[in-house]
Amino acid sequence: MGKQAVVIGATGLVGVQLVELLLEDERFAKVRVLGRRPCGVQHPKLDEHVIQFDDVESYKDLVRGDVLFSTLGTTLKHAGSKEAQYKVDYTYQYEVARAAAENGVPCYVLVSSVGASAGSMMFYPRIKGELERDTGKLGFQTMHIMQPGPLEGDRKQDRPGERFGLASIRAINKIGLFRSYRPIHGRIVAQAMINVCFQPTEKPQTHVLDALFRLAEAA
């Protein structure tokens, strides 16, 4: 019998790729997607629920299965304020993870960010660091934290500033600088997430950029 996956963030760059790969993967019998809007996919294995993340009681019983994949996230520009971004990038993800842990979901795979640190002076890395720290205390049997560099791929939201940033990083990478911050395609991150969930750990494991490329190629 195949595994049951739960996914949040299914409409984002990594999430779209993740759901597609999970639906193609014979190791998974069901893919349950929880989100604020439909992901626009139809498939016999897909079990989709439109939820309100603010109302934990309304969805917590849905967070059941073998692995929780968390790819939820936003930007300050699209959130509109630091408070709103914090709610998406920390509060919503933490509450779903806590529900999963309470429901006995054994494995948690989280997309974080390069440079994540709860002690960072910068807002975004600090959010991600706090989320890593606090979800790591929830008691999952297996927890994997993915720390990719800048993400590339097709986005539903236009981000001209991000396109310029990716072009600048690629130019710098060509002369051998900031290789740990080089771009990575969302599909590579998604495949690494799937492959890594079959690797049990005794404590939370963090996978940085180079490891993600290797994990995506693993059998």
Side-chain angles (χ1 to χ4, degrees), residues 1-207:
M1 185 175 179
K3 288 182 176 290
Q4 177 172 310
V6 180
V7 179
I8 60 171
T11 59
L13 191 153
V14 175
V16 167
Q17 301 292 333
L18 176 63
V19 170
E20 182 177 315
L21 289 170
L22 286 169
L23 293 174
E24 295 172 355
D25 196 318
E26 295 181 353
R27 295 172 295 181
F28 291 86
K30 180 181 288 186
V31 181
R32 176 170 291 160
V33 169
L34 309 179
R36 294 169 289 182
R37 60 183 183 276
C39 65
V41 175
Q42 299 292 325
H43 194 281
K45 287 166 56 174
L46 181 65
D47 178 26
E48 184 172 34
H49 299 264
V50 176
I51 67 169
Q52 297 295 326
F53 283 102
D54 288 308
D55 187 1
V56 179
E57 292 298 317
S58 70
Y59 71 74
K60 69 177 185 180
D61 285 341
L62 297 172
V63 193
R64 298 180 183 276
D66 299 291
V67 53
L68 168 63
F69 293 102
S70 185
T71 69
L72 192 63
T74 188
T75 64
L76 182 58
K77 178 180 178 180
H78 284 98
S81 67
K82 287 185 175 181
E83 291 77 12
Q85 185 180 16
Y86 190 88
K87 180 178 285 190
V88 173
D89 278 78
Y90 176 88
T91 306
Y92 289 167
Q93 293 194 81
Y94 178 78
E95 291 298 342
V96 174
R98 184 168 67 173
E102 291 176 352
N103 290 339
V105 176
C107 180
Y108 178 47
V109 183
L110 169 67
V111 175
S112 184
S113 174
V114 62
S117 171
S120 176
M121 297 296 291
M122 294 182 289
F123 181 64
Y124 184 73
R126 187 169 69 252
I127 299 175
K128 295 300 185 181
E130 290 178 0
L131 182 63
E132 289 183 10
R133 178 196 64 198
D134 295 344
T135 53
K137 299 175 182 178
L138 292 174
F140 289 101
Q141 293 178 26
T142 297
M143 178 174 173
H144 292 282
I145 300 166
M146 323 301 276
Q147 290 188 348
L151 296 170
E152 59 182 354
D154 295 329
R155 288 192 183 275
K156 295 182 179 180
Q157 296 175 330
D158 185 38
R159 298 183 181 181
E162 187 173 90
R163 291 200 303 273
F164 175 78
L166 287 171
S168 300
I169 291 171
R170 290 191 193 97
I172 295 172
N173 291 163
K174 286 182 179 179
I175 60 175
L177 299 177
F178 298 107
R179 294 287 292 167
S180 62
Y181 284 82
R182 66 190 186 277
I184 183 170
H185 198 282
R187 194 171 186 86
I188 295 175
V189 177
Q191 188 63 67
M193 295 176 72
I194 293 172
N195 291 347
V196 82
C197 82
F198 291 92
Q199 299 181 10
T201 65
E202 294 183 358
K203 60 181 180 179
Q205 297 292 311
T206 299
H207 308 279

